[in-house]
Amino acid sequence: MSDDLQKLFDERECERIIATYCHLVDFGDAPGIADLFTSDGRWTSAEVDMDGQDAIRAGFLRRQGVTRRQSRHLCMNVVVTVNSDEATGLSYLVNYRHDSPTGTAESPAPADVPKYVGEYRDRFVRTDEGWRIKERLFDIAFLR
């Protein structure tokens, strides 16, 4: 396989991780989210710092327990740059979220403007199991 073709496959695998992450968060699969990260992976924002797969799993298990919430994470304008066994990614995130006053998520949930818009800055590494997130940094640009 040519180097250019391999690079396209690698970029696509990293892009798929970004999309899979969004699905797993929205449909409540905390262990699956943690598995997208390396064992020493890190998820950080201005308010949250989860260091290692166990901390990421625990953090998303707490999120999974918020049964009143309906959310959709939309990642777009994804750019992944591969350099051998490492890659960086930048994607814009638009998050729609509704917390039901009944304590149980509504479907369909009432629509409103997005809860927030921001970006993920990712660092990926190639492992024996395939590409994984080594570090995910989330920054908010707009907040409702």
Side-chain angles (χ1 to χ4, degrees), residues 32-52:
I33 295 165
D35 290 343
L36 297 175
F37 288 78
T38 59
S39 60
D40 62 345
R42 189 168 184 200
W43 192 110
T44 59
S45 71
E47 300 171 350
V48 177
D49 189 6
M50 297 180 279
D51 202 1

Side-chain angles (χ1 to χ4, degrees), residues 23-67:
H23 296 162
L24 295 173
V25 172
D26 291 337
F27 296 107
D29 184 349
I33 295 165
D35 290 343
L36 297 175
F37 288 78
T38 59
S39 60
D40 62 345
R42 189 168 184 200
W43 192 110
T44 59
S45 71
E47 300 171 350
V48 177
D49 189 6
M50 297 180 279
D51 202 1
Q53 269 184 329
D54 291 341
I56 293 166
R57 186 173 293 106
F60 282 101
L61 277 170
R62 283 189 296 279
R63 162 58 181 90
Q64 190 173 314
V66 181
T67 59

Side-chain angles (χ1 to χ4, degrees), residues 5 8-9 19 26 31 41 62 65-66 72 74 82 84 87 91 107-108 111 134 136 138:
L5 188 55
L8 284 174
F9 282 132
D26 291 337
R62 283 189 296 279
V66 181
R72 290 297 180 268
L74 309 175
V82 175
S84 187
S91 54
S107 186
K134 175 78 171 173
R136 168 159 272 196
F138 174 61

Side-chain angles (χ1 to χ4, degrees), residues 82-130:
V82 175
N83 185 7
S84 187
D85 291 336
E86 297 184 1
T88 57
L90 173 65
S91 54
Y92 292 167
L93 171 71
V94 177
N95 179 261
Y96 287 91
R97 183 167 96 187
H98 175 72
D99 289 336
S100 175
T102 69
T104 303
E106 301 169 41
S107 186
D112 200 351
V113 296
K115 172 67 177 170
Y116 49 81
V117 177
E119 67 262 0
Y120 288 125
R121 295 180 185 275
D122 296 314
R123 197 161 53 96
F124 301 93
V125 294
R126 188 190 318 266
T127 71
D128 291 340
E129 295 80 35

